Amino acid sequence: MHVNALDHVNIITDRLNETAEFYKALLGLERRDGPPPLTPQNAQWMYDAGGKAIVHINAVDCPRAFDREVQPGSLTGAIHHVALNCSGYDEVLARIGAMGLECQTNVVDAIGLRQIFTADPNNVLLELNFFGD
């Protein structure tokens, strides 16, 4: 198992357009629609110059593979999860089992992605992403 990189940060907001425009204006990120089943009305992904989506912005009513309460507008309360780009999907599932952790899995066929969601000891939600693994 290997962590390749921090994959993205997910922000839940009741000000989708304003938030996307903020990241565009401040950091020069390119605004694009998220992949299906997300819609332009409930999700915008902000891409860096290399074509990587590094900030995912979701409306409060956007469907989520792992849903939990967040507090848009409170300091860091809008952060839903931290995503890591990983390899070794089967090994990670085995480690989660051995550690007695709860997890949830998800598949996003549109972009060839398998995901594992689990929480750290501080209840920080981790989204472990496996592309083509």
Side-chain angles (χ1 to χ4, degrees):
M1 188 270 161
H2 181 74
V3 174
N4 303 315
L6 178 66
D7 195 74
H8 67 269
V9 174
N10 180 252
I11 299 171
I12 308 299
T13 182
D14 53 3
R15 299 168 8 188
L16 182 73
N17 188 58
E18 181 181 351
T19 304
E21 289 302 310
F22 170 84
Y23 282 97
K24 179 180 176 183
L26 180 66
L27 301 177
L29 297 177
E30 179 187 348
R31 180 179 180 168
R32 299 186 201 167
D33 298 339
L38 303 176
T39 69
Q41 294 75 35
N42 65 25
Q44 293 290 291
W45 286 10
M46 307 302 293
Y47 287 76
D48 66 11
K52 181 174 179 347
I54 59 170
V55 179
H56 296 179
I57 305 169
N58 296 129
V60 292
D61 61 349
C62 182
R64 287 179 267 292
F66 188 105
D67 199 18
R68 69 182 187 97
E69 183 179 345
V70 294
Q71 299 296 323
S74 63
L75 188 59
T76 71
I79 301 295
H80 181 268
H81 63 263
V82 174
L84 300 173
N85 180 309
C86 299
S87 58
Y89 181 87
D90 293 332
E91 183 177 346
V92 172
L93 276 180
R95 287 182 186 184
I96 287 172
M99 295 171 71
L101 299 174
E102 293 183 22
C103 75
Q104 180 178 319
T105 60
N106 186 54
V107 176
V108 183
D109 287 324
I111 56 175
L113 171 64
R114 290 192 297 173
Q115 300 175 302
I116 302 171
F117 295 91
T118 193
D120 81 354
N122 302 292
N123 208 27
V124 173
L125 180 61
L126 300 176
E127 176 185 302
L128 308 177
N129 288 328
F130 301 82
F131 290 92
D133 186 346

